[in-house]
Protein backbone atom coordinates (compact mmCIF):
# COMPACT_ATOMS: atom_id res chain seq x y z
CA UNK A 1 0.00 0.00 0.00
CA UNK A 2 2.73 2.48 0.95
CA UNK A 3 4.65 1.71 -2.23
CA UNK A 4 1.56 2.50 -4.27
CA UNK A 5 0.97 5.72 -2.38
CA UNK A 6 4.55 6.82 -2.93
CA UNK A 7 4.23 6.10 -6.64
CA UNK A 8 1.14 8.31 -6.83
CA UNK A 9 2.91 10.95 -4.75
CA UNK A 10 5.86 11.10 -7.14
CA UNK A 11 3.53 11.31 -10.12
CA UNK A 12 1.80 14.27 -8.47
CA UNK A 13 5.19 15.86 -7.77
CA UNK A 14 6.14 15.50 -11.44
CA UNK A 15 2.85 17.05 -12.54
CA UNK A 16 3.44 20.05 -10.27
CA UNK A 17 7.18 20.22 -11.03
CA UNK A 18 8.15 19.67 -7.40
CA UNK A 19 11.61 18.16 -7.06
CA UNK A 20 11.68 17.25 -3.37
CA UNK A 21 8.95 16.82 -0.76
CA UNK A 22 9.74 17.28 2.94
CA UNK A 23 7.27 15.87 5.47
CA UNK A 24 7.51 16.16 9.23
CA UNK A 25 4.86 16.16 11.98
CA UNK A 26 1.26 15.84 10.87
CA UNK A 27 -0.85 13.32 8.97
CA UNK A 28 1.03 13.30 5.65
CA UNK A 29 3.98 11.25 6.89
CA UNK A 30 2.01 8.31 8.36
CA UNK A 31 -0.27 8.31 5.31
CA UNK A 32 2.61 7.86 2.88
CA UNK A 33 5.10 5.81 4.90
CA UNK A 34 3.36 4.45 8.00
CA UNK A 35 5.42 6.34 10.59
CA UNK A 36 3.95 9.09 12.77
CA UNK A 37 6.48 11.59 14.09
CA UNK A 38 6.24 12.83 17.64
CA UNK A 39 6.01 16.61 18.02
CA UNK A 40 9.52 16.97 19.41
CA UNK A 41 12.10 19.77 19.14
CA UNK A 42 14.31 17.12 17.51
CA UNK A 43 13.87 16.92 13.74
CA UNK A 44 12.05 14.01 12.15
CA UNK A 45 11.68 14.41 8.38
CA UNK A 46 10.78 12.26 5.41
CA UNK A 47 12.75 13.48 2.39
CA UNK A 48 11.07 12.31 -0.83
CA UNK A 49 12.92 13.14 -4.05
CA UNK A 50 10.90 13.02 -7.23
CA UNK A 51 13.64 10.75 -8.61
CA UNK A 52 15.51 8.69 -6.06
CA UNK A 53 15.06 6.92 -2.74
CA UNK A 54 13.18 8.44 0.17
CA UNK A 55 15.02 8.92 3.46
CA UNK A 56 13.45 9.09 6.91
CA UNK A 57 15.62 11.31 9.10
CA UNK A 58 14.90 10.43 12.72
CA UNK A 59 16.58 11.01 16.10
CA UNK A 60 18.43 7.87 17.11
CA UNK A 61 16.45 7.58 20.32
CA UNK A 62 13.26 7.45 18.20
CA UNK A 63 14.62 4.93 15.67
CA UNK A 64 13.34 1.87 17.62
CA UNK A 65 9.78 3.12 16.97
CA UNK A 66 10.23 3.03 13.20
CA UNK A 67 8.75 0.09 11.35
CA UNK A 68 10.69 -0.02 8.11
CA UNK A 69 8.76 -0.36 4.87
CA UNK A 70 10.96 -2.06 2.24
CA UNK A 71 11.13 -0.04 -0.94
CA UNK A 72 9.37 2.93 0.67
CA UNK A 73 12.20 4.61 2.63
CA UNK A 74 15.51 4.01 4.33
CA UNK A 75 16.24 5.23 7.85
CA UNK A 76 18.92 7.81 8.56
CA UNK A 77 19.25 8.12 12.33
CA UNK A 78 21.09 11.11 13.79
CA UNK A 79 22.85 11.48 17.12
CA UNK A 80 22.54 14.28 19.64
CA UNK A 81 25.76 15.94 18.46
CA UNK A 82 24.77 15.80 14.77
CA UNK A 83 23.20 18.59 12.73
CA UNK A 84 19.94 17.13 11.33
CA UNK A 85 19.28 20.19 9.16
CA UNK A 86 22.62 19.70 7.44
CA UNK A 87 21.73 16.02 6.99
CA UNK A 88 18.44 16.98 5.36
CA UNK A 89 20.27 19.49 3.15
CA UNK A 90 22.59 16.73 1.92
CA UNK A 91 19.59 14.63 0.81
CA UNK A 92 17.88 17.56 -0.88
CA UNK A 93 20.82 18.07 -3.20
CA UNK A 94 20.44 20.62 -5.98
CA UNK A 95 16.62 20.71 -5.90
CA UNK A 96 15.24 24.19 -6.42
CA UNK A 97 11.47 23.56 -6.00
CA UNK A 98 10.73 22.08 -2.60
CA UNK A 99 7.34 21.31 -1.06
CA UNK A 100 7.33 21.50 2.74
CA UNK A 101 4.87 19.86 5.11
CA UNK A 102 2.24 22.34 6.28
CA UNK A 103 2.71 21.24 9.91
CA UNK A 104 6.52 21.40 9.91
CA UNK A 105 7.86 23.56 12.72
CA UNK A 106 8.72 27.01 11.44
CA UNK A 107 12.16 26.87 13.05
CA UNK A 108 13.19 23.95 10.89
CA UNK A 109 12.01 25.71 7.74
CA UNK A 110 13.89 28.89 8.68
CA UNK A 111 17.09 26.89 9.17
CA UNK A 112 16.62 25.08 5.87
CA UNK A 113 15.94 28.32 4.02
CA UNK A 114 19.29 29.68 5.20
CA UNK A 115 21.03 26.70 3.61
CA UNK A 116 18.92 26.89 0.43
CA UNK A 117 18.72 30.62 -0.36
CA UNK A 118 17.74 30.08 -4.01
CA UNK A 119 15.08 27.43 -3.41
CA UNK A 120 11.37 27.98 -4.02
CA UNK A 121 9.33 26.63 -1.13
CA UNK A 122 5.72 25.51 -1.54
CA UNK A 123 3.09 23.92 0.67
CA UNK A 124 3.24 20.13 0.61
CA UNK A 125 -0.56 20.04 0.85
CA UNK A 126 -0.73 21.27 -2.74
CA UNK A 127 0.81 17.91 -3.66
CA UNK A 128 -0.59 15.61 -0.98
CA UNK A 129 -4.15 16.88 -0.51
CA UNK A 130 -5.46 15.84 -3.95
CA UNK A 131 -4.28 12.31 -3.16
CA UNK A 132 -5.40 12.07 0.45
CA UNK A 133 -8.81 13.66 -0.10
CA UNK A 134 -10.01 10.90 -2.45
CA UNK A 135 -10.43 7.74 -0.40
CA UNK A 136 -10.16 4.27 -1.89
CA UNK A 137 -12.46 1.41 -0.88
CA UNK A 138 -10.22 0.30 1.99
CA UNK A 139 -10.08 3.82 3.39
CA UNK A 140 -13.84 4.21 3.19
CA UNK A 141 -14.18 0.96 5.11
CA UNK A 142 -11.77 2.26 7.77
CA UNK A 143 -13.84 5.43 8.07
CA UNK A 144 -17.00 3.32 8.27
CA UNK A 145 -15.60 1.26 11.16
CA UNK A 146 -14.58 4.40 13.04
CA UNK A 147 -18.00 5.96 12.42
CA UNK A 148 -19.78 2.82 13.64
CA UNK A 149 -17.78 2.91 16.87
CA UNK A 150 -18.70 6.57 17.46
CA UNK A 151 -22.30 5.73 16.56
CA UNK A 152 -22.45 3.22 19.40
CA UNK A 153 -21.42 5.89 21.88
CA UNK A 154 -24.00 8.29 20.42
CA UNK A 155 -26.72 5.64 20.80
CA UNK A 156 -25.88 5.33 24.50
CA UNK A 157 -26.03 9.10 24.83
CA UNK A 158 -29.42 9.40 23.15
CA UNK A 159 -30.93 6.51 25.07
CA UNK A 160 -30.09 7.98 28.47
CA UNK A 161 -27.49 5.32 29.30
CA UNK A 162 -24.96 8.07 29.99
CA UNK A 163 -25.86 10.03 33.09
CA UNK A 164 -25.98 13.78 32.46
CA UNK A 165 -27.97 15.62 35.13
CA UNK A 166 -25.90 16.63 38.14
CA UNK A 167 -22.56 15.98 36.45
CA UNK A 168 -20.15 18.55 35.09
CA UNK A 169 -19.57 18.93 31.37
CA UNK A 170 -15.97 17.83 31.98
CA UNK A 171 -17.07 14.62 33.70
CA UNK A 172 -19.39 13.71 30.82
CA UNK A 173 -16.68 14.61 28.29
CA UNK A 174 -14.25 12.26 30.03
CA UNK A 175 -16.79 9.45 29.99
CA UNK A 176 -17.52 9.95 26.29
CA UNK A 177 -13.78 9.76 25.63
CA UNK A 178 -13.46 6.55 27.64
CA UNK A 179 -16.33 5.03 25.70
CA UNK A 180 -14.72 5.94 22.36
CA UNK A 181 -11.57 4.11 23.46
CA UNK A 182 -13.61 1.13 24.68
CA UNK A 183 -15.28 0.96 21.26
CA UNK A 184 -11.95 0.56 19.48
CA UNK A 185 -10.49 4.02 19.03
CA UNK A 186 -6.81 4.44 19.88
CA UNK A 187 -7.09 8.19 20.41
CA UNK A 188 -9.72 10.70 21.48
CA UNK A 189 -9.45 13.81 19.33
CA UNK A 190 -12.21 15.77 21.07
CA UNK A 191 -15.31 15.29 23.20
CA UNK A 192 -17.27 18.53 23.25
CA UNK A 193 -20.01 18.64 25.88
CA UNK A 194 -21.90 21.93 25.95
CA UNK A 195 -24.96 22.46 28.15
CA UNK A 196 -27.57 25.18 27.93
CA UNK A 197 -26.14 28.55 26.91
CA UNK A 198 -22.70 26.98 26.41
CA UNK A 199 -24.06 25.09 23.40
CA UNK A 200 -24.18 28.44 21.56
CA UNK A 201 -20.35 28.25 21.34
CA UNK A 202 -19.60 25.69 18.58
CA UNK A 203 -16.18 24.73 19.98
CA UNK A 204 -17.04 25.07 23.67
CA UNK A 205 -14.50 23.52 26.01
CA UNK A 206 -16.17 21.31 28.60
CA UNK A 207 -15.71 22.72 32.05
CA UNK A 208 -17.05 22.65 35.59
CA UNK A 209 -20.57 23.79 34.70
CA UNK A 210 -23.09 21.35 36.16
CA UNK A 211 -25.70 20.02 33.73
CA UNK A 212 -29.26 20.67 34.89
CA UNK A 213 -32.77 19.52 33.96
CA UNK A 214 -34.59 21.63 31.38
CA UNK A 215 -31.65 22.32 29.06
CA UNK A 216 -30.04 21.17 25.83
CA UNK A 217 -26.80 19.21 25.87
CA UNK A 218 -24.79 19.24 22.64
CA UNK A 219 -22.17 16.49 22.30
CA UNK A 220 -19.62 16.41 19.48
CA UNK A 221 -17.19 13.51 19.71
CA UNK A 222 -14.47 12.07 17.53
CA UNK A 223 -11.32 10.03 17.66
CA UNK A 224 -8.82 8.04 15.64
CA UNK A 225 -9.02 4.32 14.94
CA UNK A 226 -6.04 2.47 13.46
CA UNK A 227 -6.38 0.26 10.41
CA UNK A 228 -4.43 -2.94 9.79
CA UNK A 229 -1.46 -0.96 8.42
CA UNK A 230 -1.26 1.26 11.49
CA UNK A 231 -2.74 4.32 9.76
CA UNK A 232 -5.39 6.13 11.78
CA UNK A 233 -8.77 7.19 10.39
CA UNK A 234 -11.06 9.59 12.19
CA UNK A 235 -14.63 9.65 13.42
CA UNK A 236 -16.79 12.71 14.09
CA UNK A 237 -20.45 12.86 15.13
CA UNK A 238 -22.68 15.43 16.84
CA UNK A 239 -26.02 14.76 18.49
CA UNK A 240 -28.19 16.83 20.84
CA UNK A 241 -30.31 15.69 23.77
CA UNK A 242 -32.80 17.70 25.80
CA UNK A 243 -33.29 16.96 29.48
CA UNK A 244 -37.00 17.19 30.11
CA UNK A 245 -39.69 18.81 27.98
CA UNK A 246 -38.09 21.09 25.33
CA UNK A 247 -39.57 24.54 24.70
CA UNK A 248 -41.50 25.05 21.47
CA UNK A 249 -39.05 27.54 19.96
CA UNK A 250 -36.15 25.12 20.37
CA UNK A 251 -38.19 22.26 18.85
CA UNK A 252 -39.08 24.46 15.88
CA UNK A 253 -35.44 25.42 15.36
CA UNK A 254 -34.35 21.79 15.57
CA UNK A 255 -36.95 20.80 12.99
CA UNK A 256 -35.44 23.38 10.61
CA UNK A 257 -31.93 22.04 11.33
CA UNK A 258 -33.07 18.44 10.84
CA UNK A 259 -34.56 19.21 7.41
CA UNK A 260 -31.62 21.34 6.31
CA UNK A 261 -29.05 18.71 7.27
CA UNK A 262 -30.99 15.98 5.46
CA UNK A 263 -31.19 18.17 2.35
CA UNK A 264 -27.45 18.79 2.46
CA UNK A 265 -26.69 15.08 2.78
CA UNK A 266 -28.97 14.40 -0.20
CA UNK A 267 -27.20 17.12 -2.21
CA UNK A 268 -23.74 15.65 -1.58
CA UNK A 269 -23.62 13.79 -4.89
CA UNK A 270 -20.70 13.33 -7.24
CA UNK A 271 -20.39 16.33 -9.54
CA UNK A 272 -22.03 18.85 -7.23
CA UNK A 273 -19.76 21.58 -5.96
CA UNK A 274 -18.83 21.86 -2.31
CA UNK A 275 -20.36 25.33 -2.11
CA UNK A 276 -23.65 24.13 -3.60
CA UNK A 277 -24.03 21.63 -0.76
CA UNK A 278 -23.43 24.41 1.75
CA UNK A 279 -25.99 26.65 0.02
CA UNK A 280 -28.80 24.09 0.18
CA UNK A 281 -29.01 23.92 3.95
CA UNK A 282 -27.87 27.47 4.59
CA UNK A 283 -30.70 28.76 2.44
CA UNK A 284 -33.28 26.73 4.34
CA UNK A 285 -31.94 27.91 7.69
CA UNK A 286 -31.90 31.53 6.51
CA UNK A 287 -35.45 31.26 5.16
CA UNK A 288 -36.61 30.14 8.60
CA UNK A 289 -35.07 33.25 10.14
CA UNK A 290 -31.92 31.68 11.60
CA UNK A 291 -29.42 32.68 8.91
CA UNK A 292 -27.41 34.93 11.22
CA UNK A 293 -27.08 32.07 13.69
CA UNK A 294 -25.45 29.54 11.35
CA UNK A 295 -21.93 30.86 11.91
CA UNK A 296 -19.58 28.24 10.43
CA UNK A 297 -19.08 26.25 7.24
CA UNK A 298 -21.24 23.21 6.63
CA UNK A 299 -18.42 20.72 6.82
CA UNK A 300 -14.84 19.59 6.51
CA UNK A 301 -13.11 16.67 4.88
CA UNK A 302 -12.10 13.77 7.10
CA UNK A 303 -9.64 10.91 6.82
CA UNK A 304 -6.31 10.54 8.56
CA UNK A 305 -7.00 14.02 9.94
CA UNK A 306 -10.21 15.15 11.60
CA UNK A 307 -10.17 18.25 9.38
CA UNK A 308 -8.80 18.13 5.84
CA UNK A 309 -9.90 18.77 2.26
CA UNK A 310 -12.50 19.12 0.86
CA UNK A 311 -14.24 21.87 2.82
CA UNK A 312 -18.00 22.27 2.35
CA UNK A 313 -18.21 26.03 2.29
CA UNK A 314 -19.22 28.96 0.11
CA UNK A 315 -16.42 29.82 -2.28
CA UNK A 316 -15.17 26.26 -2.72
CA UNK A 317 -16.14 25.46 -6.29
CA UNK A 318 -14.43 22.07 -6.22
CA UNK A 319 -16.71 19.31 -7.49
CA UNK A 320 -17.26 16.26 -5.33
CA UNK A 321 -15.54 13.12 -6.60
CA UNK A 322 -16.15 9.47 -5.71
CA UNK A 323 -14.25 8.87 -2.49
CA UNK A 324 -14.47 12.38 -1.07
CA UNK A 325 -15.36 12.05 2.63
CA UNK A 326 -16.61 14.98 4.69
CA UNK A 327 -18.86 16.11 7.51
CA UNK A 328 -22.29 17.64 7.04
CA UNK A 329 -22.91 19.63 10.24
CA UNK A 330 -25.12 22.70 10.05
CA UNK A 331 -25.85 24.48 13.31
CA UNK A 332 -28.05 27.15 14.85
CA UNK A 333 -26.59 29.09 17.79
CA UNK A 334 -28.52 31.66 19.84
CA UNK A 335 -26.02 33.49 22.09
CA UNK A 336 -26.86 33.30 25.77
CA UNK A 337 -29.66 30.78 25.21
CA UNK A 338 -28.82 27.54 23.42
CA UNK A 339 -27.17 25.96 20.41
CA UNK A 340 -27.96 23.06 18.11
CA UNK A 341 -25.80 21.06 15.69
CA UNK A 342 -26.43 17.84 13.76
CA UNK A 343 -23.45 16.10 12.17
CA UNK A 344 -22.81 13.07 10.01
CA UNK A 345 -19.84 11.81 8.01
CA UNK A 346 -20.74 11.33 4.35
CA UNK A 347 -18.82 9.81 1.44
CA UNK A 348 -19.59 10.88 -2.11
CA UNK A 349 -20.14 7.65 -4.05
CA UNK A 350 -21.11 6.83 -7.62
CA UNK A 351 -24.53 5.58 -6.49
CA UNK A 352 -25.25 8.53 -4.21
CA UNK A 353 -24.26 9.91 -0.78
CA UNK A 354 -23.06 7.23 1.63
CA UNK A 355 -23.90 8.35 5.17
CA UNK A 356 -21.52 6.57 7.54
CA UNK A 357 -23.20 7.72 10.78
CA UNK A 358 -26.63 6.22 11.27
CA UNK A 359 -27.63 7.15 14.83
CA UNK A 360 -31.15 8.61 15.00
CA UNK A 361 -31.05 12.24 13.85
CA UNK A 362 -34.10 13.45 15.77
CA UNK A 363 -33.75 15.54 18.92
CA UNK A 364 -33.42 13.09 21.81
CA UNK A 365 -35.71 13.95 24.73
CA UNK A 366 -34.76 12.31 28.03
CA UNK A 367 -37.13 12.23 30.97
CA UNK A 368 -35.58 13.64 34.12
Amino acid sequence: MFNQRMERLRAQMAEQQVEVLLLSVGADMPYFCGYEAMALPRLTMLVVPRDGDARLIVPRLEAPRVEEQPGVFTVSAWDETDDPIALARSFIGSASVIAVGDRMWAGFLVDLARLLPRAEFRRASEVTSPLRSVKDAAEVESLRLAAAAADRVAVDLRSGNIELVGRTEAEVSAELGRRLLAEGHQRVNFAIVAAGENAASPHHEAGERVIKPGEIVLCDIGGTMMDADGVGYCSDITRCVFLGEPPADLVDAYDVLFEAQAAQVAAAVVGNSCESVDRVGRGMIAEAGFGDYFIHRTGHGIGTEAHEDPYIVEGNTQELRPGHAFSIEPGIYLPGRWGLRLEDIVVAATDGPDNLTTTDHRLAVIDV
Side-chain angles (χ1 to χ4, degrees):
M1 180 188 72
F2 293 118
N3 278 288
Q4 293 171 355
R5 288 181 177 177
M6 291 290 274
E7 287 177 9
R8 298 202 309 272
L9 180 63
R10 287 190 168 96
Q12 189 79 355
M13 290 169 66
E15 182 177 323
Q16 298 190 20
Q17 299 182 324
V18 170
E19 297 168 80
V20 173
L21 187 74
L22 307 178
L23 302 178
S24 187
V25 293
D28 277 338
M29 185 186 292
Y31 181 86
F32 288 105
C33 80
Y35 179 70
E36 184 171 1
M38 296 181 69
L40 300 173
R42 298 179 175 91
L43 177 69
T44 297
M45 179 183 289
L46 181 67
V47 181
V48 184
R50 187 173 63 203
D51 303 302
D53 296 333
R55 304 288 192 105
L56 180 62
I57 299 170
V58 63
R60 191 169 299 281
L61 79 165
E62 291 297 311
R65 297 179 58 242
V66 178
E67 182 178 344
E68 295 201 45
Q69 302 289 336
V72 178
F73 63 83
T74 57
V75 175
S76 293
W78 58 274
D79 294 308
E80 295 287 354
T81 55
D82 293 337
D83 182 350
I85 297 296
L87 182 60
R89 172 66 182 86
S90 70
F91 295 146
I92 292 169
S94 60
S96 59
V97 181
I98 302 169
V100 179
D102 293 32
R103 303 291 188 270
M104 183 185 294
W105 286 26
F108 296 145
L109 178 56
V110 169
D111 291 343
L112 272 172
R114 289 196 186 105
L115 299 179
L116 297 160
R118 294 184 175 84
E120 175 189 342
F121 289 97
R122 300 180 184 174
R123 286 177 177 248
S125 58
E126 296 173 5
V127 179
T128 61
S129 182
L131 302 176
R132 284 180 44 203
S133 66
V134 177
K135 276 66 179 179
D136 60 25
E139 291 181 284
V140 172
E141 185 59 26
S142 294
L143 287 169
R144 194 183 309 279
L145 290 173
D151 257 337
R152 293 191 288 271
V153 178
V155 167
D156 284 342
L157 174 72
R158 286 181 46 84
S159 65
N161 289 338
I162 297 175
E163 186 177 354
L164 298 175
V165 174
R167 303 175 74 191
T168 66
E169 294 171 334
E171 289 171 336
V172 176
S173 174
E175 179 171 349
L176 292 173
R178 290 192 296 270
R179 286 175 179 254
L180 276 176
L181 297 176
E183 291 292 349
H185 285 67
Q186 277 70 42
R187 183 185 305 149
V188 178
N189 296 333
F190 49 84
I192 296 172
V193 176
E197 72 285 351
N198 287 343
S201 174
H203 283 171
H204 173 70
E205 185 173 349
E208 294 308 306
R209 185 195 187 285
V210 175
I211 299 170
K212 304 184 293 292
E215 60 187 13
I216 194 76
V217 182
L218 183 157
C219 297
D220 183 346
I221 60 174
T224 299
M225 181 180 287
M226 299 299 176
D227 69 5
D229 295 299
V231 179
Y233 287 86
C234 297
S235 64
D236 194 353
I237 185 172
T238 306
R239 293 295 187 267
C240 293
V241 300
F242 198 90
L243 303 173
E245 186 65 30
D249 63 336
L250 185 145
V251 171
D252 290 343
Y254 194 89
D255 288 344
V256 171
L257 185 68
F258 178 91
E259 296 295 336
Q261 200 262 358
Q264 288 180 313
V265 171
V269 300
V270 172
N272 278 357
S273 69
C274 292
E275 68 177 5
S276 70
V277 178
D278 179 88
R279 286 174 183 170
V280 168
R282 194 171 299 274
M284 295 171 66
I285 290 172
E287 186 176 350
F290 297 107
D292 291 340
Y293 305 108
F294 181 7
I295 57 177
H296 54 72
R297 62 196 173 207
T298 286
H300 54 82
I302 191 168
T304 52
E305 287 183 290
H307 295 80
E308 59 183 45
D309 287 331
Y311 290 94
I312 311 302
V313 64
E314 181 68 31
N316 186 1
T317 60
Q318 180 181 13
E319 292 184 355
L320 294 175
R321 297 175 54 188
H324 274 153
F326 44 86
S327 68
I328 297 291
E329 49 178 310
I332 298 174
Y333 310 93
L334 270 62
R337 296 183 60 195
W338 43 258
L340 306 169
R341 184 163 66 253
L342 178 58
E343 177 183 18
D344 290 323
I345 297 302
V346 177
V347 177
T350 53
D351 56 353
D354 182 5
N355 195 337
L356 304 187
T357 35
T358 60
T359 303
D360 195 334
H361 294 67
R362 293 170 296 178
L363 177 65
V365 176
I366 298 176
D367 292 332
V368 292

